[in-house]
């Protein structure tokens, strides 16, 4: 494969070696990016992507992030601060941001998109000072995140999510949460409360059927089910994003809300436990710029989705 002449665009390439496919050879991907006219800058030590992006901000035109949704979240503060556009190499387990943007989930195919894709301004979710792209939750998914090890995700992928979820499901217990939004306060009993910014989460589940990453809103839902087995019946709707129509699911859209629990509960943001209740959520419109097609079909699902 012959290299194309450089266009002078310098790209900071950061790959999370701990991501599910982060240890794979990148030679073919590098060749594709260079053929697309990008000059690659690859720091030797890129464990702290926020620091590395900040250090190279004045010397590069874009950032290419190789990893999963956790990698994207780790880079988000630096992307907001530097205003650098970023491309995505989906090397993680779920790759839900790539799905929401309609990007290819095969890394080499995704690499071919980056050199010519336009910049697309997208929103970020924000909770207690932490940014996220897809969804933040308290309850079942936070408990799942604490039990699912990085090794299990790397070995089993979305199958690992499903196995861990069904093991945990029968032990799930409802809890009380107070929801403050748009001038009203509600106290409910739920198994899970989720606040979505993007479209997909959990390996292809859908936050809300018409949600997008640039709609300027947060999509909230609460699973107020009487028995754990009811969640199994809700799975098809959760996958399509139509669960808000169910009688035992509370759903609404907003731009800001606060969730409070009697005892502090962990908040799961895109698969990582990052903060605790009380949790103050906001949408940050057009916060970052990503290299993605203007109009793209929703990313493909997966055979073994995470239920929540």
């Amino acid at each position: 494969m012959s290299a194309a002449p450089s266009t002078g665009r310098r790209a900071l390439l950061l790959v999370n070696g701990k991501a599910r496919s982060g240890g794979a050879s990148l030679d073919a991907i590098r060749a594709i990016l260079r053929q697309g006219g990008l000059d690659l800058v690859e720091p030797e030590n890129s464990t702290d992507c926020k620091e590395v992006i900040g250090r190279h901000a004045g010397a590069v035109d874009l950032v290419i992030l190789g990893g999963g949704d956790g990698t994207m979240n780790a880079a988000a503060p630096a992307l907001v601060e530097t205003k650098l556009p970023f491309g995505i190499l989906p090397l993680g387990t779920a790759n839900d941001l790539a799905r929401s943007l309609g990007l290819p989930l095969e890394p080499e195919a995704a690499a071919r998109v980056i050199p010519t894709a336009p910049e697309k301004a997208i929103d970020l979710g924000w909770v207690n000072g932490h940014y996220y792209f897809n969804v933040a939750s308290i309850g079942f998914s936070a408990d799942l995140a604490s039990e699912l090890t990085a090794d299990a995700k790397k070995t089993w992928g979305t199958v690992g999510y499903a196995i861990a979820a069904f093991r945990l499901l029968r032990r799930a217990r409802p809890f009380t949460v107070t929801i403050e939004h748009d001038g009203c306060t509600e106290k409910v009993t739920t198994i899970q409360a989720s606040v979505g910014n993007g479209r997909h989460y959990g390996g292809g589940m859908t936050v809300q059927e018409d949600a997008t990453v640039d709609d300027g809103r947060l999509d909230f839902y609460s699973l107020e089910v009487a028995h754990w087995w009811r969640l199994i019946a809700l799975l098809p709707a959760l996958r399509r994003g139509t669960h808000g129509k169910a009688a035992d699911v509370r759903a609404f859209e907003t731009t800001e809300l606060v969730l409070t629990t009697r005892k502090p509960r962990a908040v799961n943001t895109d698969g990582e436990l990052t903060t605790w209740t009380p949790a103050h959520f906001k949408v940050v419109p057009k916060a970052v710029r990503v290299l993605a097609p203007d109009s793209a079909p929703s990313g493909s699902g997966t055979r073994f989705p995470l239920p929540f």
Side-chain angles (χ1 to χ4, degrees), residues 193-281:
S194 297
V195 185
N197 171 67
R199 179 175 177 80
H200 292 297
Y201 67 106
M205 307 303 284
T206 305
V207 174
Q208 206 277 340
E209 59 183 332
D210 65 349
T212 66
V213 289
D214 59 354
D215 57 16
R217 76 184 192 211
L218 299 173
D219 290 288
F220 174 88
Y221 74 79
S222 170
L223 300 175
E224 298 165 16
V225 298
H227 302 285
W228 67 266
W229 48 260
R230 168 63 180 147
L231 299 178
I232 305 299
L234 280 172
L235 278 178
L238 284 161
R239 187 164 180 77
R240 293 189 302 266
T242 58
H243 46 279
K245 299 174 183 178
D248 47 5
V249 178
R250 183 183 309 267
F252 57 82
E253 61 181 62
T254 187
T255 57
E256 185 171 5
L257 72 156
V258 176
L259 300 181
T260 306
T261 53
R262 187 171 64 86
K263 295 180 179 179
R265 280 187 167 267
V267 180
N268 170 13
T269 55
D270 291 346
E272 305 291 333
L273 301 181
T274 52
T275 186
W276 299 81
T277 56
H280 180 192
F281 296 84

Side-chain angles (χ1 to χ4, degrees), residues 68-114:
D69 294 302
T71 303
M72 309 302 141
N73 282 12
L79 296 172
V80 172
E81 184 176 338
T82 63
K83 298 180 170 53
L84 284 169
F86 71 105
I88 300 173
L89 295 175
L91 302 176
T93 302
N95 301 307
D96 286 305
L97 179 58
R99 294 173 193 272
S100 292
L101 292 165
L103 292 170
L105 300 183
E106 198 280 320
E108 291 185 21
R112 293 187 183 94
V113 172
I114 293 171

Side-chain angles (χ1 to χ4, degrees), residues 4-269:
S6 170
T7 62
R9 294 176 73 204
R10 288 169 59 81
L12 179 64
L13 177 60
L14 300 178
V15 175
N16 180 1
K18 296 181 180 180
R20 189 180 185 211
S21 301
S25 173
L26 299 177
D27 291 344
I29 288 173
R30 291 187 183 99
I32 291 168
L33 295 171
R34 286 174 178 141
Q35 188 180 41
L38 298 179
D39 292 332
L40 302 181
V41 177
E42 297 185 66
E44 289 186 8
N45 184 2
S46 57
T47 54
D48 184 348
C49 61
K50 179 181 177 182
E51 185 275 330
V52 174
I53 292 171
R55 178 157 40 92
H56 288 82
V60 298
D61 302 294
L62 66 145
V63 179
I64 300 174
L65 297 171
D69 294 302
T71 303
M72 309 302 141
N73 282 12
L79 296 172
V80 172
E81 184 176 338
T82 63
K83 298 180 170 53
L84 284 169
F86 71 105
I88 300 173
L89 295 175
L91 302 176
T93 302
N95 301 307
D96 286 305
L97 179 58
R99 294 173 193 272
S100 292
L101 292 165
L103 292 170
L105 300 183
E106 198 280 320
E108 291 185 21
R112 293 187 183 94
V113 172
I114 293 171
T116 58
E119 295 178 11
K120 179 185 180 73
I122 62 173
D123 308 333
L124 285 173
W126 179 98
V127 54
N128 291 356
H130 299 271
Y131 291 116
Y132 65 95
F133 285 96
N134 305 318
V135 71
S137 302
I138 62 171
F140 182 88
S141 80
D143 296 338
L144 180 60
S146 68
E147 290 202 4
L148 191 61
T149 66
D151 286 343
K153 287 194 288 185
K154 195 161 188 174
T155 302
W156 297 103
T158 48
V159 179
Y161 277 111
I163 292 171
F166 283 109
R167 284 177 176 170
L168 182 62
L169 194 56
R170 296 186 67 173
R171 292 188 278 122
R173 294 292 180 269
F175 61 95
T176 300
V177 58
T178 300
I179 311 163
E180 300 173 68
H181 70 99
D182 304 299
C184 66
T185 301
E186 304 170 280
K187 183 175 286 189
V188 304
T189 300
T190 185
I191 284 181
Q192 165 141 329
S194 297
V195 185
N197 171 67
R199 179 175 177 80
H200 292 297
Y201 67 106
M205 307 303 284
T206 305
V207 174
Q208 206 277 340
E209 59 183 332
D210 65 349
T212 66
V213 289
D214 59 354
D215 57 16
R217 76 184 192 211
L218 299 173
D219 290 288
F220 174 88
Y221 74 79
S222 170
L223 300 175
E224 298 165 16
V225 298
H227 302 285
W228 67 266
W229 48 260
R230 168 63 180 147
L231 299 178
I232 305 299
L234 280 172
L235 278 178
L238 284 161
R239 187 164 180 77
R240 293 189 302 266
T242 58
H243 46 279
K245 299 174 183 178
D248 47 5
V249 178
R250 183 183 309 267
F252 57 82
E253 61 181 62
T254 187
T255 57
E256 185 171 5
L257 72 156
V258 176
L259 300 181
T260 306
T261 53
R262 187 171 64 86
K263 295 180 179 179
R265 280 187 167 267
V267 180
N268 170 13
T269 55

Side-chain angles (χ1 to χ4, degrees), residues 279-301:
H280 180 192
F281 296 84
K282 295 188 293 186
V283 64
V284 186
K286 307 295 188 278
V288 292
R289 293 174 295 149
V290 65
L291 299 169
D294 285 325
S295 298
S298 177
S300 62

